[in-house]
Amino acid sequence: MITLYGIPNCDTVKKARVWLADQQHDFTFHDFKKQGLDEATVRTWLKTLDWEVLVNKKGTTWRALPDERKAAVTSADAAVALMLENPSVIKRPVLVGAGPQAHVGFNAAMYQEIFAA
């Protein structure tokens, strides 16, 4: 079962959803702002992804955090707490179920490679 995690108004998530639909891949979309996000899910992502990949330090959500909050994110545990507290800080989309590892972000060539394997 393929699940795409993100928020629906994110342009990158929109592109990934369109690509998956155009390629006729069955998938479930999980809006983590509306449907929530639990610690077990994030920890599962961290089995194959580094927390520094998941935390989008280039995004407006990260930039809006107080400096002391940013400085406190120095480990996977601290990153998990931040992602659960503020899911908008997660780099999107997160694709799970297309192979043994989770994937972050979207570009057509990357998805083509993931689904060719």
Side-chain angles (χ1 to χ4, degrees):
M1 179 57 152
I2 297 168
T3 304
L4 188 72
Y5 292 86
I7 55 177
N9 63 337
C10 172
D11 288 339
T12 308
V13 171
K14 287 178 189 175
K15 290 175 188 174
R17 291 175 76 179
V18 167
W19 189 93
L20 289 166
D22 286 351
Q23 302 299 314
Q24 299 178 347
H25 292 291
D26 287 333
F27 70 98
T28 300
F29 177 68
H30 183 98
D31 179 345
F32 51 59
K33 274 198 170 179
K34 288 185 180 164
Q35 295 173 271
L37 193 59
D38 61 34
E39 185 173 350
T41 299
V42 177
R43 296 251 178 225
T44 299
W45 298 345
L46 290 174
K47 290 178 182 176
T48 60
L49 295 169
D50 190 282
W51 67 266
E52 294 190 63
V53 172
L54 279 171
V55 175
N56 184 4
K57 292 185 177 181
K58 294 180 182 176
T60 56
T61 303
W62 174 265
R63 290 193 307 259
L65 292 172
D67 288 341
E68 58 274 6
R69 183 68 180 105
K70 291 182 212 174
V73 182
T74 59
S75 67
D77 288 338
V80 168
L82 176 64
M83 288 184 271
L84 293 174
E85 170 189 314
N86 198 340
S88 295
V89 79
I90 298 170
K91 184 173 170 110
R92 302 174 296 266
V94 178
L95 177 71
V96 176
Q101 68 183 53
H103 303 276
V104 176
F106 170 79
N107 74 54
M110 177 182 83
Y111 270 40
Q112 193 68 46
E113 196 172 302
I114 291 166
F115 285 94

